[in-house]
Amino acid sequence: MEVSLIGNSQMKIGKADENLRDLRFFNLRNNYNNKVLISKTRVCFGQLVNSENRNHGFRFTLRAVKADAISVEEKDNSSSLRSLKSVDGMRLFVGLPLDTVSKSNIVNHARAITAGLQALKLMGVDGVELPVWWGIVEKDAMRKYDWSGCLAIAEMVQQMGLKLHVSLCFHASQELKIPLPDWVSRIGEAEPNIYFTDRAGRQYKECLSLAIDDLPIFDSRSPIQMYQDFCESFNSTFAPFMGSTITGVTIGLGPDGELRYPSCDHAKKHNNHSGVGEFQCYDNYMLEHLKQHAEEMGNPMWGLGGPHDVPTYDELPSASSFFKDDGGSWETPYGDFFLSWYSNQLISHGNRILLLASAVFSKSPVIVSGKLPLVHSWYNTRSHPSELTAGFYNTVNRDGYEALVQMFAKNSCRIILPGMDLSDAHQPNGSSPQSLQLQIEGSCRKHGVAITGENLSFPRVTDGFEKIKGSLLEDNKVMDSFTYQRMGADFFSPKHFPLFTAFVRAVNQLDLDVDDMPETRRVCEPVHMSLEAVQMQVA
């Protein structure tokens, strides 16, 4: 598989500061007489395990193309160009692999990432997003930071002329075997109540419970103070890049970086997504908050624990009485008491984190964001059980996102919303991602909160690109940027990469058919890129 990257610095169509680019796939056997395809270099992003992909890598040659300048006014008269609906100001980013910086704090697959950055730059992508792991940067001791791997990436991105968004990840990753910092995990072994806990007593050890945000249990420092120290160290270390190369910072708010409870993570591990999840309020600190709240409300018996008539992770809403559409406990005074408390705990946690991030980065010219998940399962039922267990008190009778969006607005932060590639077609369990997306967008429009869209990395959705383009190309003032997740082996596969190329072309309002250009405009002077074969693990 051969990829040709064709760039022209003189063309002025599309984004004002972007070059005209076209990215095409060639079959090497059908182009053996083409001098452009002489290069023997090969760059592999991951091991393509499918039999049909096994012999394919990411092989590309950079060609300099001489062409006359084409002004914007000429676009309508050119048979080579097809107009698309304007998405003026839309910025497109691509997520770097989750393991871009290794556990030993070096850049994984540096040559392959460099090649990928060059490809994205020539395509007209604005920049990339980098995960920054708490368990790597502050691994060994509190306030002992090692930013070397992240600095190396920032320098690579800067040299390429791209922008960089960073995601500060205060959670662990079982997939990559990146834990929380060692010193945090040691404390967790002695005091497991620092983690979210379900009704059966199982701890979720990939992030800290929000109930301990302000408790000084880490050498006299609270999690909020530790997060603030981390952000201040980052802001100081990366000051030369802030505003010029680094234009956005996303701060982790919970499991997978999202503002939610880990209500369905047990089901995910068992590949069962049909259940409603479970409430995560059974660590001692959460139970203490619940008890105190119940006493303040004059109903101390309501504070003895979570609801008793709820299903388990994998069960349907009808398995117990709490989430039943007719006569369910969620509509009783007790149900309103518990769900209000559970949701307000999450909103208060989000406010604490966004407040500290806004304060730390207030003098840096960057956009601060937080991620809000698209919990769309069972959306078409009256009780919305999956949203309730995740912490969103959103039912047929109540808008559970209004207060959340107001919290983002108060802290002048934008929302990152994943799932833009999902449509209602073929969704199980009364799911409606499109309806939920519209609801959240409506609240954001009302309160002036901007959205950065994302797709879901896995599983890939067949018609996902069309769904994303539909969201981006419509007249939608709340969404002005999109991050495509994520670079890796499948990203550069022969099946996927041409689709992504067409998607970028659409977002940039360009669709140039190079074969329709006059031959005098396709004078090829090969400039071959010498890159050794490298492998990138699937992120």
Side-chain angles (χ1 to χ4, degrees), residues 89-271:
M90 183 62 61
R91 295 182 298 278
L92 180 61
F93 284 72
V94 172
L96 292 172
L98 292 173
D99 65 343
T100 294
V101 177
S102 72
K103 287 185 283 187
S104 56
N105 226 317
I106 61 174
V107 177
N108 274 327
H109 329 291
R111 294 181 186 274
I113 287 179
T114 299
L117 294 177
Q118 290 172 325
L120 296 178
K121 175 66 175 178
L122 289 169
M123 292 170 66
V125 172
D126 292 276
V128 292
E129 175 263 341
L130 172 68
V132 176
W133 297 95
W134 186 25
I136 291 177
V137 174
E138 199 179 356
K139 177 182 178 180
D140 297 324
M142 184 185 297
R143 293 182 172 179
K144 183 180 179 181
Y145 307 105
D146 183 355
W147 298 105
S148 55
C150 300
L151 281 167
I153 290 294
E155 290 171 358
M156 290 168 63
V157 174
Q158 183 184 61
Q159 291 171 7
M160 202 63 61
L162 293 167
K163 301 300 182 183
L164 179 64
H165 286 179
V166 295
S167 297
L168 305 181
C169 303
F170 295 115
H171 62 280
S173 171
Q174 281 195 348
E175 181 184 1
L176 299 178
K177 295 182 172 53
I178 297 175
L180 296 176
D182 291 345
W183 50 275
V184 172
S185 298
R186 286 195 295 270
I187 293 175
E189 291 175 2
E191 174 52 291
N193 285 289
I194 67 173
Y195 302 119
F196 287 111
T197 306
D198 65 14
R199 186 170 48 172
R202 288 173 293 226
Q203 278 93 30
Y204 178 82
K205 297 183 178 182
E206 294 182 34
C207 70
L208 298 177
S209 169
L210 57 82
I212 67 168
D213 277 352
D214 294 319
L215 298 182
I217 57 179
F218 295 92
D219 195 19
S220 300
R221 297 191 68 74
S222 69
I224 289 293
Q225 290 174 313
M226 296 189 302
Y227 301 151
Q228 182 170 344
D229 291 341
F230 190 89
C231 290
E232 288 175 346
S233 177
F234 173 86
N235 194 38
S236 174
T237 303
F238 289 84
F241 300 94
M242 301 295 273
S244 54
T245 298
I246 298 175
T247 57
V249 175
T250 300
I251 188 161
L253 298 173
D256 296 328
E258 300 174 334
L259 183 60
R260 64 175 174 87
Y261 292 98
S263 54
C264 289
D265 289 81
H266 175 77
K268 287 180 183 177
K269 294 173 185 176
H270 294 81
N271 296 318

Side-chain angles (χ1 to χ4, degrees), residues 208-507:
L208 298 177
S209 169
L210 57 82
I212 67 168
D213 277 352
D214 294 319
L215 298 182
I217 57 179
F218 295 92
D219 195 19
S220 300
R221 297 191 68 74
S222 69
I224 289 293
Q225 290 174 313
M226 296 189 302
Y227 301 151
Q228 182 170 344
D229 291 341
F230 190 89
C231 290
E232 288 175 346
S233 177
F234 173 86
N235 194 38
S236 174
T237 303
F238 289 84
F241 300 94
M242 301 295 273
S244 54
T245 298
I246 298 175
T247 57
V249 175
T250 300
I251 188 161
L253 298 173
D256 296 328
E258 300 174 334
L259 183 60
R260 64 175 174 87
Y261 292 98
S263 54
C264 289
D265 289 81
H266 175 77
K268 287 180 183 177
K269 294 173 185 176
H270 294 81
N271 296 318
N272 189 327
H273 303 278
S274 62
V276 299
E278 287 194 17
F279 293 112
Q280 306 290 308
C281 60
Y282 292 92
D283 64 78
N284 289 346
Y285 299 105
M286 284 288 282
L287 290 174
E288 185 178 336
H289 285 314
L290 178 59
K291 180 176 180 293
Q292 180 180 351
H293 181 64
E295 291 172 351
E296 292 172 354
M297 297 296 291
N299 290 290
M301 296 300 292
W302 286 357
L304 300 181
H308 66 277
D309 55 343
V310 291
T312 60
Y313 287 103
D314 302 334
E315 290 182 325
L316 303 182
S318 58
S320 297
S321 61
F322 191 87
F323 296 120
K324 284 185 176 179
D325 271 358
D326 297 317
S329 301
W330 62 277
E331 288 190 284
T332 65
Y334 166 75
D336 180 65
F337 158 81
F338 176 80
L339 294 172
S340 296
W341 168 80
Y342 190 67
S343 176
N344 287 335
Q345 292 292 301
L346 186 69
I347 294 172
S348 297
H349 166 73
N351 185 63
R352 286 190 288 268
I353 301 292
L354 293 180
L355 182 62
L356 81 83
S358 297
V360 171
F361 298 109
S362 61
K363 296 182 180 179
S364 299
V366 297
I367 295 172
V368 178
S369 305
K371 184 177 287 190
L372 193 65
L374 199 69
V375 185
H376 53 83
S377 293
W378 303 106
Y379 184 87
N380 287 328
T381 64
R382 294 185 69 244
S383 63
H384 296 220
S386 293
E387 291 169 88
L388 297 183
T389 58
F392 307 111
Y393 191 4
N394 189 55
T395 68
V396 69
N397 302 320
R398 189 179 190 277
D399 187 339
Y401 295 95
E402 189 84 4
L404 281 162
V405 173
Q406 286 179 311
M407 180 264 293
F408 276 86
K410 182 176 70 173
N411 291 289
S412 300
C413 297
R414 74 166 52 209
I415 288 174
I416 295 178
L417 188 63
M420 294 292 168
D421 52 335
L422 301 180
S423 64
D424 288 355
H426 312 299
Q427 290 288 342
N429 307 334
S431 174
S432 182
Q434 290 178 275
S435 297
L436 180 53
Q437 178 184 333
L438 289 174
Q439 180 183 351
I440 295 173
E441 287 178 354
S443 292
C444 289
R445 189 175 293 107
K446 177 180 177 181
H447 296 287
V449 176
I451 291 177
T452 293
E454 282 190 0
N455 60 307
L456 290 178
S457 298
F458 298 102
R460 293 226 182 270
V461 182
T462 303
D463 59 349
F465 282 119
E466 293 305 314
K467 172 60 174 59
I468 296 168
K469 284 191 289 185
S471 295
L472 300 186
L473 297 176
E474 64 186 14
D475 186 13
N476 188 342
K477 294 182 180 179
V478 298
M479 191 182 307
D480 61 3
S481 61
F482 183 84
T483 301
Y484 189 82
Q485 301 291 8
R486 144 177 333 268
M487 190 188 293
D490 62 334
F491 182 85
F492 287 105
S493 70
K495 282 187 175 181
H496 174 264
F497 198 53
L499 298 176
F500 178 74
T501 302
F503 167 69
V504 174
R505 185 184 291 143
V507 173

Side-chain angles (χ1 to χ4, degrees), residues 32-59:
Y32 56 86
N33 289 323
N34 191 331
K35 293 181 181 179
V36 178
L37 305 180
I38 292 175
S39 174
K40 302 297 183 182
T41 59
R42 181 181 177 90
V43 180
C44 295
F45 286 79
Q47 295 180 353
L48 307 178
V49 296
N50 295 338
S51 58
E52 60 182 294
N53 291 336
R54 187 167 292 145
N55 296 322
H56 293 294
F58 177 52
R59 182 195 299 269

